[in-house]
Amino acid sequence: MKEPELKAALVQQHTLSSKLLPGLWLLVLLLSAYMPKTIGAVPAVFGLTGLWIYFKDGGWKDVSRLFGGRFRLLGFSVVLFLLYMGLSNVFTHFPEAAVKRTVGLLIIFVLSVISLMLVTRFDVSVSRAFLPWVPLAVFLGILFNIVESFLGYPLYALNLDSHDSIGAYLVNRSVSVLMLMAVPSLLIIRAVFDGVNAKALQAIFILSLLLLIQQSASETAKVAVVVIAVSTLLLRVLGPLFLRFCGICIVIGMLAAPFAAPPAYQYVAKDIDQSSLFGATGAHGAQRLEIYDFVARYSMNKPILGHGLDAAREIKDFDSKGKFMQESQISHPHNFALQLWLELGLIGVLLAGFFIQSLLASLGKRESLSLSYFSVFLIGLCAYSFSYGLWQAWMIAAIVVAVMLLRMISRAYPDANTRREQQPDAYADQAKINGA
């Protein structure tokens, strides 16, 4: 391709998305490093603005890109789960809470889908101008949290005598968001920089993140680091076979969860409470096992259909032993499998298992991108297994944003190992795909 033609292909008409959303997204990423729930606004901002863009430009055909090809089975699994989620409102004992949660989740889903479609409308030149700033924003967030963790109080409290302190739950949320944002950030660094520079910057980035995780009280993050490290090695050695194996193991674990939780609490909780990592240092390992115990036993009262969405918040008579968990009421079970058993029963567990299998089967063939998507999946899996509830909007949004970034990267850098100057034809072809 001649230089004038290449230049013409790269310079596109600026739309509202190319002018507004990249800067707004970057701002929200910066804010989310300090206020993790802020990231929940990203799909809403992208989605609501995207509604206008799609109605204006008639771009709804992009829906097929999300649910076509290798994503067809994944889209089908999502639709099935959403339909059953809505149907579960018919037999719940807590209809008001269930309907409210269902409406909220459907809004999040719709806005997330629109946001993922909107990413495909970003022209390559805008994406390449925006993406290199993402690692910088995430790195600043990591440094910001490291400084606060050492100081023990928030930076907005400028006086050294301030009595304000940072809640562990807030730090843990920041760590979760930053871990998710770190995955695409490392891929961007690899795509933008050459050889030694890329490796050096990635090493600095990873070491800073590990320092933050070490300083935080997030045992889940520490487990996630080990899981990702081991899984990365196995994925490189075994390839797609390892993904299928992971899917089978996860589904088996989900099915076994309510039967394994009571004996785990009975025989392991005391040792967990005295362990240096999960108990003695103030962690909640034994408390989690006690929650798993009484949630598992309660879920067996309605094992097929479950008790309905958000049932954990409404149930007042959990049979807690009161040894590590004095309260008998919880907001969520701190384990996605037990939450599914409690709220949606065996049918919900099977549909969620179908979704996980479809998700792992849909990962791309490019090794670096496949590994990145898998890492996002593992971070979410660890967070949902030990820390957060399935329906927390900020966590769902953080995962969606990580996926959005990865989709942008795959379009802006068709070959993550090659810089723009070395592949003008591929760059121009990608620009044509985006509507040049």
Side-chain angles (χ1 to χ4, degrees):
M1 176 176 282
K2 297 180 180 179
E3 183 63 28
E5 295 174 348
L6 174 60
K7 185 176 181 181
L10 300 180
V11 180
Q12 300 187 26
Q13 181 180 3
H14 289 292
T15 62
L16 179 62
S17 63
S18 65
K19 289 180 179 179
L20 265 184
L21 294 186
L24 189 57
W25 192 4
L26 193 63
L27 175 63
V28 175
L29 284 176
L30 280 167
L31 290 175
S32 67
Y34 189 64
M35 298 176 290
K37 284 192 173 183
T38 308
I39 205 166
V42 174
V45 171
F46 269 63
L48 292 175
T49 312
L51 280 174
W52 183 85
I53 294 172
Y54 278 100
F55 276 125
K56 176 177 176 293
D57 297 341
W60 290 101
K61 62 183 180 180
D62 290 337
V63 175
S64 61
R65 297 181 186 179
L66 291 176
F67 300 105
R70 70 174 186 272
F71 298 111
R72 185 176 292 110
L73 192 62
L74 177 61
F76 181 64
S77 68
V78 170
V79 171
L80 275 181
F81 186 83
L82 290 174
L83 287 175
Y84 179 67
M85 186 178 69
L87 180 63
S88 69
N89 293 314
V90 175
F91 48 77
T92 179
H93 292 307
F94 315 101
E96 184 177 348
V99 170
K100 182 179 178 180
R101 179 62 72 179
T102 301
V103 171
L105 289 173
L106 288 175
I107 291 173
I108 292 172
F109 172 76
V110 171
L111 293 179
S112 296
V113 168
I114 295 173
S115 301
L116 290 170
M117 290 190 299
L118 186 58
V119 168
T120 67
R121 302 296 291 258
F122 274 57
D123 61 77
V124 174
S125 58
V126 171
S127 296
R128 283 185 171 243
F130 162 67
L131 285 172
W133 291 97
V134 173
L136 178 60
V138 177
F139 184 69
L140 289 175
I142 293 172
L143 293 182
F144 192 85
N145 280 270
I146 287 175
V147 171
E148 285 199 337
S149 67
F150 276 113
L151 292 177
Y153 62 86
L155 288 179
Y156 67 77
L158 298 179
N159 55 314
L160 296 178
D161 295 328
S162 172
H163 296 292
D164 292 339
S165 60
I166 306 172
Y169 72 94
L170 185 59
V171 176
N172 292 345
R173 286 176 175 175
S174 293
V175 169
S176 298
V177 170
L178 289 168
M179 285 188 71
L180 286 166
M181 296 305 102
V183 175
S185 295
L186 291 169
L187 200 60
I188 293 170
I189 292 173
R190 177 180 175 180
V192 172
F193 295 94
D194 286 323
V196 176
N197 291 334
K199 292 184 183 300
L201 289 173
Q202 284 180 321
I204 293 172
F205 199 99
I206 292 173
L207 290 174
S208 300
L209 182 61
L210 291 176
L211 176 60
L212 173 61
I213 293 172
Q214 177 60 35
Q215 286 298 117
S216 74
S218 179
E219 286 74 25
T220 299
K222 296 168 186 175
V223 171
V225 168
V226 175
V227 169
I228 291 173
V230 174
S231 298
T232 297
L233 177 62
L234 292 175
L235 182 60
R236 291 188 183 279
V237 173
L238 301 176
L241 179 64
F242 177 65
L243 295 180
R244 289 193 286 270
F245 175 74
C246 281
I248 293 172
C249 290
I250 292 170
V251 173
I252 291 175
M254 292 167 62
L255 292 171
F259 309 103
Y265 168 71
Q266 182 178 355
Y267 297 109
V268 182
K270 184 176 180 180
D271 293 332
I272 289 291
D273 188 53
Q274 296 174 355
S275 70
S276 58
L277 180 60
F278 299 111
T281 56
H284 303 289
Q287 182 199 61
R288 292 284 194 273
L289 286 177
E290 187 157 353
I291 293 174
Y292 299 165
D293 170 59
F294 62 69
V295 169
R297 288 186 285 107
Y298 199 100
S299 67
M300 289 297 99
N301 294 333
K302 291 184 65 177
I304 305 301
L305 299 178
H307 295 78
L309 290 174
D310 247 11
R313 291 178 180 272
E314 304 299 320
I315 295 172
K316 313 296 185 190
D317 57 345
F318 279 121
D319 180 21
S320 172
K321 300 292 194 304
K323 186 174 182 180
F324 305 104
M325 175 71 180
Q326 281 70 41
E327 300 177 8
S328 60
Q329 188 175 1
I330 55 174
S331 57
H332 56 81
H334 298 277
N335 179 273
F336 78 99
L338 290 173
Q339 185 169 356
L340 287 169
W341 273 100
L342 180 70
E343 298 183 1
L344 299 175
L346 176 61
I347 297 177
V349 172
L350 291 174
L351 290 175
F354 177 40
F355 165 75
I356 290 174
Q357 291 279 28
S358 304
L359 177 64
L360 294 177
S362 69
L363 293 182
K365 295 181 180 180
R366 283 172 53 190
E367 180 180 340
S368 59
L369 200 60
S370 177
L371 180 59
S372 297
Y373 278 114
F374 187 52
S375 297
V376 169
F377 169 78
L378 291 176
I379 293 170
L381 182 70
C382 290
Y384 283 135
S385 295
F386 308 111
S387 296
Y388 304 117
L390 266 176
W391 320 131
Q392 289 182 267
W394 69 271
M395 187 63 187
I396 296 174
I399 294 173
V400 170
V401 171
V403 173
M404 289 164 65
L405 283 169
L406 292 176
R407 283 177 62 82
M408 285 186 70
I409 295 168
S410 66
R411 295 173 64 81
Y413 304 99
D415 182 355
N417 294 312
T418 307
R419 299 187 66 183
R420 167 180 170 179
E421 293 79 8
Q422 299 169 318
Q423 52 165 26
D425 291 335
Y427 184 66
D429 290 342
Q430 193 62 47
K432 287 181 179 180
I433 293 175
N434 281 294

